[in-house]
Each structure stands twice: as C-alpha cells, then as structure tokens.
Amino acid sequence: MKPTKIFIVLVLLSTVTFLKAQDHFVVKNATVFTGDEVIKKTSVLVENGMITKIKKRIKTDLPVIDGDGKFLMPGMTNTHVHAWMPALLNEAAKAGVLNVLDMAGAETFQQMMKNFKHSTNYARYRVAGYAATAPEGHGTQFGFPVPTLEKPEDAKQWVADRVKAKVDHIKIIVEPWRATLNHETVAAIIKEAKSHDKKVVVHVSKMKDGYKVFRSGADGLVHIWRDEKMSDGQIAELANGDFFVIPTILVGYKAVTAMAKKTEEVALKKLAWYKEEVKRLYDAGIPILAGTDPPNAGINMGTDLYKEIIFFSEAGIPNIDALRSATSLPADKFEMDKLGYIKEGFIADMIMLDGNPMKNIKDIEKINTIWKAGKKVKR
C-alpha cells in the first residue's frame, strides 16, 4: 500500500476511534444518584450515548473515567423558563441543565429552537407555545401578538391551534392583577387539552385560584401562590392524586426587590414564607419540581437553578428529594422518555461533581464534567 493511502487509512481509523470515545466510556467507582437512590462505589457503562450497564465492576476496553471521590447524577431540567434565542439553551447546557420547559413564548421562534435538541452544547427545549390568557391579560404585554380567549366556547379552537403548532404542554394564566380568564373558561381549556393528551399547568398568584384550577383538573402549578396559606384540608386534597407544584421560590424572592422595589428585609421574610409553604406541600406528599422563571428578575437559564434546589434543602426537604426536583420528577411528570435517570436503557445525560450534594447541597455547584447523550458539553 502506498504511503499516502496508509496515511489516509490511519487518519480515518483515528477519527473513528475519537468519535467512538466521545460516547463510549465507563465511569468507574463513582457515587451514583440514579434519580431514585444513591449507590456507592459503582460504575456506569455508556455506549452510543446510552447507559447500557450499571454494576460494581465493569470489564471493558473502552476509555475509563475515574469516578473515585466523585458524585454522578442525571442531567437536570428547569421546568419553568422563557427562552427566545439559542444562546440561552447553551447557557443552560453549560450548567448541566440539559432540558428546559418553556412556559410561554412566540410559537414561530420556539419551533425553530426545538431543532437544537440533538446538539450537544444546547439544552433540549420543550414548549407550551402561547399561554392561554384573556385579552389585555398577563402575557400580552411582551411585544408579540398573542391569541386570547374570552369564554369557554373559545377553548376548542384555541387548544386545536396549540396542538397544530406541536406544543409539548399547555400553560394557562390566571392572574387577577390584569384582565384574566374566568374559571369556567379555564376548566374548558383543561378539558379540551386533556382530550389531546396534553399536560396542563397553570400560572396563579392567589391561593384560591390554585385550589380552583386543581379542582378543574390541572396537572400542576408553575408558581406557588403568594397571598395566603392554604388550609391543611386543601393541601390534603392536592396530595390525593398526581398534582405537582413548581414553586419558583427564587423569582418570588427576587421579585420583592427587583419588581416590587421593597427592602431586602421584606424579601427575606417572603423567602421564609415561601419555604414554609413549600415544605407543607412536600410533607403532604405533593411532588415539588425545580423551575426558576428566567429571565424574570434577572435570573439566568443555568446556574440559578442551583439556588432553587438549595432553597428546597433549606426549607427542610431532604437533599435526595431536592435533587429529584430537577432530575427524575420533571421526567416523570412531563413524560420525558428515557431522561432524568441514570438507569440501563436511558440516555446518558449525566453530571459528575467534585463534591457530594447528599452531604452538602451546595456541592451541586461543583461541576467537573457534563455529558449530553454521552458526549461532553463544552463549558
């Protein structure tokens, strides 16, 4: 064989080997949080971007990554964002937030951004499309036209339009500081969305509205109420089913100073109130999911999610469930197939930490490596 041909063959072989090494490897002897439980000193085999084996010892000739003293966990999901350009999906991915759930935006831009789902350095993007709101209601003030509803009879066509736009879930706004939907219309939207097998989440700020949309069949809330405490009896009702809450404590806390222009002392009192109410929900058995509502109040798409998880821990939620709030629970509640867990047969979305958030939740910030579908995310 001529030297030139030999060189070309060697280049091709080395390229294939490099590409294979990108999503074929073993993480050895790590502490692994699977999304359900923590397993000490175990190994995880990744092949073709999928998790194919989890055992104490794995024999292989694939590249080995030393996980001794490291903590391996699933990639995270931010369950409440508003994104309008791909750079924000990159900001999320660099923080280990490999999935984001948009809770209202312009559908044309959203569908374009969904095309980044297979790009290693960008978070997957699931969308609600336009939020359901009243004419002149919350959500209509952001500079792009929004289709609105006035009565229950409008629900059928409005939902059909969202389904045609290929949304992943439906988001409804009940916000009385502006014109807002009545609860008959909200109930009609929920019923119609359910007929299309769509998850339905609702923005509320008032406790009574949160309770009413639960009674109307909503799947969850994208904010916790901020006006009064819910009764123990009502919380028990919420817990009797699959209802979940995305409290967005961080944006509620930051809004006190950034939007309401109150003092930090007032903001800290409200933060304590939010934590206490969220802990009551958790104690009743209601799933708590992590979301931060960026870019409101200057919140970013990535690392600020750690703050929400830390707030949950500070509220008294066990660290393992604080981690679940951003990993397995979003995958379960929003039916994100083969995501949110480190399990055999699942996509190899993983984060390796230099600390252990089971011992100190703030170690969630000590990221060593991020893999999306088995490939390293560039940070």
Side-chain angles (χ1 to χ4, degrees):
M1 187 179 290
K2 293 182 179 180
T4 302
K5 289 184 178 179
I6 293 173
F7 175 76
I8 291 171
V9 169
L10 289 174
V11 169
L12 290 173
L13 286 172
S14 64
T15 300
V16 169
T17 301
F18 171 74
L19 291 173
K20 185 176 181 181
Q22 282 190 305
D23 56 5
H24 292 66
F25 58 90
V26 174
V27 178
K28 184 180 179 181
N29 291 334
T31 297
V32 178
F33 168 57
T34 67
D36 283 328
E37 61 180 339
V38 175
I39 308 172
K40 295 180 179 180
K41 289 288 182 181
T42 198
S43 299
V44 178
L45 174 63
V46 174
E47 297 176 291
N48 294 314
M50 302 294 291
I51 298 165
T52 57
K53 189 179 293 185
I54 301 174
K55 292 182 67 176
K56 289 290 184 184
R57 294 178 179 82
I58 297 175
K59 292 183 178 180
T60 179
D61 58 358
L62 292 175
V64 174
I65 296 168
D66 186 8
D68 190 35
K70 310 293 186 185
F71 187 91
L72 194 68
M73 62 177 282
M76 291 182 281
T77 296
N78 191 330
T79 58
H80 188 153
V81 309
H82 301 278
W84 65 90
M85 59 182 177
L88 297 174
L89 303 183
N90 176 245
E91 179 181 65
K94 289 191 296 185
V97 182
L98 300 181
N99 307 283
V100 297
L101 277 55
D102 197 295
M103 289 298 169
E107 287 175 352
T108 304
F109 293 108
Q110 289 184 335
Q111 292 306 315
M112 178 274 291
M113 288 171 60
K114 289 179 76 171
N115 292 328
F116 284 83
K117 64 183 178 181
H118 297 303
S119 299
T120 301
N121 297 311
Y122 296 83
R124 298 181 193 86
Y125 186 57
R126 297 169 67 91
V127 304
Y130 298 115
T133 191
E136 304 300 320
H138 183 51
T140 64
Q141 72 269 42
F142 299 117
F144 56 88
V146 175
T148 57
L149 303 88
E150 298 185 60
K151 55 189 183 298
E153 291 77 15
D154 296 337
K156 187 176 183 66
Q157 186 60 54
W158 187 91
V159 171
D161 290 341
R162 304 291 74 71
V163 172
K164 185 177 180 181
K166 298 180 180 179
V167 302
D168 299 289
H169 46 270
I170 297 291
K171 193 258 188 96
I172 302 171
I173 296 174
V174 180
E175 184 50 81
W177 70 275
R178 297 175 68 105
T180 195
L181 299 169
N182 61 50
H183 279 280
E184 292 75 19
T185 302
V186 171
I189 298 167
I190 293 171
K191 182 178 179 181
E192 189 63 27
K194 295 286 187 176
S195 75
H196 292 276
D197 296 321
K198 295 295 181 184
K199 293 284 183 179
V200 184
V201 292
V202 187
H203 164 121
V204 301
S205 60
K206 304 290 186 182
M207 184 276 291
K208 290 178 181 177
D209 288 328
Y211 179 69
K212 285 180 180 178
V213 301
F214 156 73
R215 294 296 299 269
S216 294
D219 293 293
L221 301 179
V222 295
H223 296 291
I224 196 169
W225 48 90
R226 58 175 183 259
D227 58 334
E228 60 179 310
K229 290 187 176 296
M230 183 172 278
S231 73
D232 291 341
Q234 289 171 318
I235 288 178
E237 286 187 57
L238 265 62
N240 188 24
D242 293 325
F243 196 76
F244 60 85
V245 175
I246 306 167
T248 61
I249 295 176
L250 179 63
V251 76
Y253 161 60
K254 290 178 73 71
V256 176
T257 54
M259 298 177 184
K261 305 301 182 183
K262 302 290 186 181
T263 65
E264 180 64 13
E265 182 181 3
V266 173
L268 288 172
K269 287 181 180 179
K270 194 63 182 180
L271 175 60
W273 188 93
Y274 283 131
K275 289 177 180 178
E276 183 178 335
E277 195 74 346
V278 168
K279 182 58 161 52
R280 293 179 67 221
L281 298 178
Y282 171 83
D283 287 343
I286 297 167
I288 303 299
L289 278 60
T292 54
D293 198 12
N296 288 299
I299 294 167
N300 70 43
M301 202 72 57
T303 56
D304 279 342
L305 186 64
Y306 311 158
K307 297 176 184 177
E308 189 78 5
I309 295 168
I310 290 167
F311 281 159
F312 292 164
S313 177
E314 291 173 347
I317 294 174
N319 288 0
I320 191 168
D321 287 329
L323 295 181
R324 285 188 182 119
S325 76
T327 56
S328 52
L329 280 177
D332 292 345
K333 295 303 178 182
F334 285 92
E335 299 177 359
M336 297 160 59
D337 190 38
K338 298 187 184 303
L339 294 170
Y341 291 87
I342 295 179
K343 289 186 175 181
E344 293 178 4
F346 277 64
I347 295 170
D349 282 8
M350 306 187 300
I351 303 168
M352 189 161 71
L353 304 175
D354 288 327
N356 187 337
M358 293 300 298
K359 297 178 179 178
N360 181 354
I361 195 63
K362 291 184 179 180
D363 282 356
I364 193 80
E365 301 171 346
K366 296 180 179 179
I367 291 181
N368 178 295
T369 309
I370 301 164
W371 294 273
K372 180 184 175 188
K375 294 181 179 179
K376 280 187 182 181
V377 174
K378 186 177 180 181
R379 301 179 64 218

